[in-house]
Amino acid sequence: METLTHSSVLSRFGHALSDPTRCRILLELRDAPAYPSNLADVLGVSRQGLSNHLACLRGCGLVVAVPEGRRSRYELADPKLRSALTELLAVVLATDLEHCANSGSEGCC
């Protein structure tokens, strides 16, 4: 296991949040641990696609797989992530279309 610097942690968190599906996975896991098949159904994505996103989130250190018999349950890697995601959702952003032309369609520059 590797301990990361502050900038590395933020970079990994930013990478994870840069994809809408990964954001939705993190928000689902913020509410409660879940099984991949349930997450795929709730999010309306293929199981293979979900598996790729979960692998990315595991690699970033944001989620962990907890073995339960033949299945694995996914949950946030650190309870503080639940609070961090909740705090991020409370942030109010003022966008400037003049300087971020894609903010309406793509979310950001």
Side-chain angles (χ1 to χ4, degrees):
M1 182 175 285
E2 176 186 2
T3 302
L4 302 173
T5 64
H6 290 122
S7 60
S8 294
V9 169
L10 289 178
S11 178
R12 286 172 182 252
F13 200 60
H15 176 73
L17 293 177
S18 70
D19 182 86
T21 301
R22 289 193 298 266
C23 286
R24 293 173 60 208
I25 292 168
L26 289 171
L27 291 176
E28 286 294 323
L29 296 178
R30 177 185 70 131
D31 294 336
Y35 296 100
S37 58
N38 295 13
L39 282 170
D41 292 342
V42 167
L43 300 175
V45 298
S46 71
R47 291 182 185 196
Q48 180 60 46
L50 181 79
S51 177
N52 293 338
H53 286 296
L54 287 171
C56 175
L57 292 170
R58 279 194 323 268
C60 286
L62 299 176
V63 303
V64 293
V66 179
E68 289 186 347
R70 294 180 8 196
R71 299 173 69 183
S72 289
R73 175 179 44 86
Y74 281 81
E75 60 188 45
L76 296 175
D78 185 323
K80 292 181 212 119
L81 286 170
R82 179 173 288 105
S83 298
L85 289 166
T86 300
E87 289 297 318
L88 281 173
L89 291 172
V91 171
V92 177
L93 300 176
T95 58
D96 183 350
L97 294 178
E98 181 180 329
H99 294 97
C100 189
N102 295 331
S103 67
S105 61
E106 298 177 25
C108 194
C109 309

